[in-house]
Amino acid sequence: EKGGYATFMEKEIHDQPHAVADTLLGRTDAEGRLVLDEMSISEEQLNAVDRITIVACGTAAYAGMVAKYAIEHWTRIPVEVALAHEFRYCDPIVNERTLVVSISQSGETMDTLMAVKHARELGAITVSVCNTHGSTIPRESDAVLYTHAGPEIAVASTKAFLAQITACYVLGLYLAQLRGGSYADDAQSVMKELGGVPAKIETLLGQMGRVKEIAKFMADTRSVLFLGRHVGYPIAMEGALKLKELAYIHAEGFAAGELKHGPIALIEPGQPVFVVVPSPMSEHGLHGKVVSNIQEIRARGARTLVIAEEGDEAVVPFADEVIRVPATSPLLAPLLTVVPLQVFALWLSTAKGLDVDQPRNLAKSVTVE
Ligand code: F6R
């Protein structure tokens, strides 16, 4: 049942090309237009939406943070991401023109369920992005958009995360298509490019040997930092979460632009820092800004582990290790850049002799508030 892999997590990491492909399957017609049969909310209601709030916890919330950048870019609808347990108790501003999108692999997370119920009481339209058929959160929502990642057994979420990002992108592009005009053009071209992502993940999975080696050498590491910017920022947070959960190592993710506002004080000789580099095609010169960050921390002795696109040579002079990912447009990059971070956490945990599938103190689904 582990498909020849030693752990469920390793298997699930390798399931990721399918998780993305299956989540895209059947959601476009012959002309490449999005069709969401399951979206049982009227177009009038969706067209009236003037604000989106994503509620989720943990890894699912990081998927939401990634989705915020994309949905706002494609639809120009303001998107807020709230941790479900905070949302419920913060007197949220929600009305019948608010689309509340919950993201949950299990569909049973009590914090997320309570947030959805609260949103409905306040009159919001609720959509559940969920991986588990027949679970509670979809039942308590107006509509559901299933992620088709297949059952996720390992406690730490991997393939569900990629499927959640994919499903949220489908939802965002669907809203863009409803808006029409140039928004709709975006929808078709991005769906097309998304279709090519599974093959890129497959390629990437085939070149993870060096990441496994790096992880093995780092079994004694006490702390690892992760930096990213734009969609790479939630990926940095996710990389840190995977390492905390699986290897019990102190880890923190930062927005790279925040470095100079404090965290750079943490850099001392030998400190390992993963940096998720934005695509050289990113707007506003973000790529060059992150390359400068790498240079700054390297000058202070950091050991820089740099995740950069194939062909991005600008990072090479400042990187102790360069981990390559296939080129994509900037908004799709998270579906690739997170993979080496998952693989790193898997093998570091294994190198420490820990139980990868069942980390201490954690349960797969958190059914208490
Ligand atoms: C991290 C992880 C958790 C879950 C979170 C939400 O690897 O698995 O952070 O993402 O507990 O769970 P779901 O998605 O089931 O609501």
Side-chain angles (χ1 to χ4, degrees):
E1 52 183 359
K2 290 178 192 157
Y5 294 101
T7 59
F8 281 109
M9 183 177 170
E10 189 183 3
K11 172 190 178 280
E12 288 163 7
I13 288 173
H14 284 85
D15 283 345
Q16 293 184 119
H18 281 293
V20 172
D22 292 350
T23 301
L24 293 171
L25 202 69
R27 285 174 168 157
T28 38
D29 66 13
E31 279 81 55
R33 282 178 61 80
L34 281 140
V35 273
L36 297 185
D37 298 334
E38 56 213 303
M39 191 47 94
S40 46
I41 297 169
S42 72
E43 293 192 6
E44 293 68 38
Q45 260 183 307
L46 287 176
N47 274 327
V49 164
D50 62 6
R51 160 211 284 272
I52 297 172
T53 300
I54 298 176
V55 293
C57 306
T59 290
Y62 297 140
M65 282 172 70
V66 169
K68 170 187 159 85
Y69 292 92
I71 298 175
E72 288 189 336
H73 182 74
W74 294 325
T75 66
R76 307 313 294 156
I77 302 170
V79 180
E80 176 200 9
V81 185
L83 291 169
H85 36 89
E86 287 295 318
F87 171 85
R88 172 69 183 83
Y89 301 102
C90 74
D91 194 8
I93 302 169
V94 166
N95 60 36
E96 53 292 334
R97 290 184 310 284
T98 313
L99 182 66
V100 171
V101 180
S102 65
I103 308 176
S104 175
Q105 189 287 128
S106 61
E108 300 295 346
T109 301
M110 186 59 77
D111 288 320
T112 308
L113 175 62
M114 296 308 279
V116 170
K117 285 187 169 172
H118 188 57
R120 277 192 102 172
E121 277 161 21
L122 297 172
I125 313 166
T126 53
V127 176
S128 153
V129 170
C130 184
N131 198 46
T132 311
H133 281 262
S135 58
T136 310
I137 296 172
R139 277 207 311 272
E140 293 287 336
S141 304
D142 296 311
V144 54
L145 199 59
Y146 281 108
T147 48
H148 297 296
E152 194 179 61
I153 310 291
V155 165
S157 187
T158 53
K159 63 177 179 175
F161 178 68
L162 266 70
Q164 285 160 352
I165 294 173
T166 306
C168 288
Y169 279 21
V170 165
L171 177 62
L173 293 168
Y174 181 71
L175 294 173
Q177 180 178 287
L178 285 182
R179 305 217 136 194
S182 58
Y183 295 111
D185 299 343
D186 257 4
Q188 301 226 3
S189 63
V190 179
M191 279 306 284
K192 214 164 164 194
E193 202 196 339
L194 267 173
V197 166
K200 291 182 183 181
I201 302 171
E202 201 69 68
T203 305
L204 179 58
L205 286 168
Q207 52 197 46
M208 287 292 93
R210 180 65 191 151
V211 175
K212 183 173 175 179
E213 266 176 46
I214 299 170
K216 281 188 186 162
F217 292 137
M218 287 176 64
D220 297 330
T221 305
R222 309 257 330 246
S223 146
V224 182
L225 304 180
F226 295 78
L227 298 177
R229 195 162 179 152
H230 191 252
V231 284
Y233 166 40
I235 295 304
M237 308 281 281
E238 171 63 4
L241 178 60
K242 288 284 96 81
L243 205 57
K244 291 173 200 171
E245 285 184 288
L246 292 163
Y248 317 152
I249 290 176
H250 172 258
E252 255 189 280
F254 301 106
E258 196 64 9
L259 255 188
K260 57 186 175 300
H261 301 288
I264 199 164
L266 289 169
I267 306 296
E268 55 187 18
Q271 171 68 52
V273 185
F274 274 93
V275 186
V276 181
V277 180
S279 153
M281 279 159 60
S282 298
E283 290 174 73
H284 315 301
L286 285 187
H287 172 266
K289 292 187 169 124
V290 173
V291 173
S292 301
N293 291 143
I294 304 173
Q295 192 172 0
E296 283 156 15
I297 57 173
R298 185 84 172 321
R300 290 163 177 79
R303 185 153 172 262
T304 53
L305 308 152
V306 173
I307 299 175
E309 227 176 77
E310 214 64 70
D312 176 357
E313 296 306 318
V315 299
V316 174
F318 315 113
D320 289 292
E321 296 282 349
V322 184
I323 300 157
R324 293 293 180 187
V325 296
T328 45
S329 57
L331 286 171
L332 304 194
L335 295 166
L336 299 170
T337 52
V338 74
V339 173
L341 300 179
Q342 297 168 337
V343 170
F344 176 73
L346 163 70
W347 292 114
L348 190 45
S349 169
T350 306
K352 290 181 77 171
L354 301 173
D355 185 341
V356 173
D357 288 335
Q358 295 278 337
R360 68 184 180 202
N361 307 341
L362 293 170
K364 182 66 185 161
S365 117
V366 184
T367 53
V368 290
E369 242 195 293

